[in-house]
Amino acid sequence: MSDFKKTLDKIGIPRLIIFLFFSFIVFLAYVNNLNVTSYIGSVLKYWGMWGVLVLAMVPSINCGVGPNFGVSLGIVCGLLGTLLVIEFDVAGAINASMPGWGSWISMFISMLISAFLAWFVGVGYGKILNSVKGSEMTVTTYIGYSVIYLMCILWFRAPFSSGEIMWPLGGKGVRNQVSMESSFGQLLNNAGGFYIGGESGVFVPTGILVFFFLMCFIVFVFFKTKTGKAISAAGENPQFARASGINVDKMRINGVAISTMLGAVGIIVYTQGFGFLQAYTAPLAMGFQCVASVLIGGATTSKARISHVIIGTFLFQGLILMTPPVSNYLLAGTDISDTVRQIIQNGVIVYALTKVKRGVSSD
């Protein structure tokens, strides 16, 4: 019995429940002759689209700040970098001299611009969080919401001149949905994609999955470096880290800045997957979904690993995408997909918060 309890504690009750529920949903879809292969293909696609955004939780958790509900700061940097690439038609200019390379180069340019902006934004963000130690998760939520609503004002008055970005009929500002057809829409989704079992089988979006796993590998290797180990040490045991000569505040700032950069890159991967960019309040709840995903994968509010990101993102997206068709089939005329998402998302977050150790100071 003791061994069973240890195994259960290692797996985690939320992860076990969600895995069993996901398996049950897939089983119901199969026995009711729903198009399971199509849904599995969508899960793989969204696994890659959300993966880097969820990966952004790892540095912030490991540096001692906790889940980054304020990943919105990185998201708006990524949106801005993408809009600049569309505004100046970078893809078209590159294709004029290097046919076929415009989309790829413009995507990486947008990532570089966004990551550069996100680093400075993240440093300032990290300094704010250093001044409110112990209340980071609350403050990050407020900051994330505030930044999104502030950007709504700026998006509305932004002086873009591209017809793809501006409101129709010559209106200023950014429209609700900006097409990425001329830049790099769905580029990673289609790169190297193939079907398992013919065109009626499961489509594997190789490009976006490879990019996601590559980013996971880069973050994994980074945390094996001296700086990465210092960031983890500052989060795991600040008193010991400080006694060892580590500047804990600086490491926390570095962790938050890296998290913000990953958020910027992540939203670019996400938007190219859709083929269009959404500004204004569209990213409002993305931080909550990212936090829920990494917690479902087995992370805590003080420790996160790459495996938690990979497993958690797959399970969360699997449930969100597989539940609607099954519920609509079994309960005709209903749509409880958003209800299920809210229950899973907020339930896992609440569960994780109840496991936070109280009375432990970061100083």
Side-chain angles (χ1 to χ4, degrees):
M1 191 69 178
S2 177
D3 291 339
F4 174 76
K5 188 177 184 303
K6 288 181 180 179
T7 303
L8 186 61
D9 290 339
K10 185 176 181 180
I11 296 174
I13 294 176
R15 187 198 294 184
L16 179 61
I17 293 173
I18 290 168
F19 175 75
L20 292 175
F21 183 58
F22 175 65
S23 301
F24 180 64
I25 290 294
V26 173
F27 172 75
L28 287 177
Y30 178 77
V31 297
N32 286 287
N33 296 317
L34 298 181
N35 193 351
V36 177
T37 56
S38 175
Y39 297 133
I40 294 297
S42 295
V43 172
L44 293 176
K45 172 186 172 182
Y46 279 79
W47 188 24
M49 284 172 58
W50 277 94
V52 181
L53 283 169
V54 179
L55 184 64
M57 298 296 109
V58 173
S60 68
I61 291 175
N62 287 345
C63 77
V65 168
N68 187 5
F69 289 95
V71 72
S72 307
L73 276 76
I75 288 175
V76 297
C77 291
L79 294 176
L80 179 57
T82 303
L83 288 171
L84 289 174
V85 165
I86 296 174
E87 168 73 7
F88 294 105
D89 191 21
V90 175
I94 294 173
N95 277 328
S97 56
M98 302 172 61
W101 286 95
S103 296
W104 287 101
I105 295 177
S106 64
M107 182 181 70
F108 286 112
I109 288 176
S110 70
M111 288 181 178
L112 289 174
I113 294 172
S114 301
F116 178 78
L117 294 173
W119 171 261
F120 291 100
V121 171
V123 168
Y125 178 34
K127 290 181 179 179
I128 293 174
L129 296 182
N130 275 344
S131 67
V132 292
K133 290 179 181 177
S135 303
E136 291 95 339
M137 282 186 281
T138 301
V139 173
T140 54
T141 304
Y142 282 120
I143 291 176
Y145 272 68
S146 299
V147 167
I148 290 295
Y149 284 112
L150 174 63
M151 290 305 297
C152 285
I153 299 173
L154 297 179
W155 294 138
F156 189 70
R157 300 303 301 172
F160 289 106
S161 58
S162 170
E164 289 183 294
I165 299 175
M166 294 168 52
W167 285 95
L169 304 178
K172 290 185 178 180
V174 180
R175 62 176 70 189
N176 284 327
Q177 295 184 357
V178 178
S179 173
M180 298 179 66
E181 185 177 356
S182 67
S183 52
F184 49 87
Q186 301 189 24
L187 180 64
L188 290 173
N189 295 37
N190 299 324
F194 64 94
Y195 285 92
I196 298 177
E199 292 191 5
S200 61
V202 177
F203 179 74
V204 180
T206 308
I208 197 168
L209 292 177
V210 168
F211 186 86
F212 168 40
F213 295 143
L214 176 61
M215 292 299 297
C216 287
F217 178 73
I218 291 172
V219 173
F220 174 79
V221 171
F222 171 78
F223 275 99
K224 296 296 182 182
T225 64
K226 183 178 179 180
T227 302
K229 290 179 179 179
I231 290 175
S232 296
E236 186 173 352
N237 193 327
Q239 294 88 351
F240 178 78
R242 190 173 289 109
S244 302
I246 296 174
N247 188 330
V248 173
D249 285 350
K250 182 179 179 181
M251 292 302 105
R252 282 165 55 95
I253 290 173
N254 287 342
V256 172
I258 293 170
S259 175
T260 307
M261 292 173 70
L262 287 171
V265 174
I267 194 61
I268 293 173
V269 176
Y270 180 87
T271 54
Q272 69 79 36
F274 272 117
F276 57 85
L277 176 151
Q278 289 181 300
Y280 298 97
T281 59
L284 202 57
M286 295 185 87
F288 287 90
Q289 294 197 42
C290 293
V291 173
S293 295
V294 75
L295 294 178
I296 285 173
T300 66
T301 56
S302 58
K303 189 68 175 178
R305 296 174 179 162
I306 303 300
S307 59
H308 299 152
V309 173
I310 295 173
I311 294 171
T313 306
F314 182 84
L315 285 177
F316 188 83
Q317 294 305 316
L319 281 175
I320 299 306
L321 293 168
M322 291 292 292
T323 300
V326 174
S327 64
N328 290 341
Y329 180 84
L330 298 177
L331 304 171
T334 65
D335 185 0
I336 62 171
S337 57
D338 190 62
T339 302
V340 171
R341 180 182 67 80
Q342 293 290 346
I343 291 173
I344 296 170
Q345 170 184 297
N346 298 323
V348 170
I349 291 173
V350 169
Y351 175 84
L353 294 181
T354 63
K355 298 299 181 181
V356 178
K357 294 181 180 179
R358 302 299 179 186
V360 180
S361 172
S362 58
D363 285 328

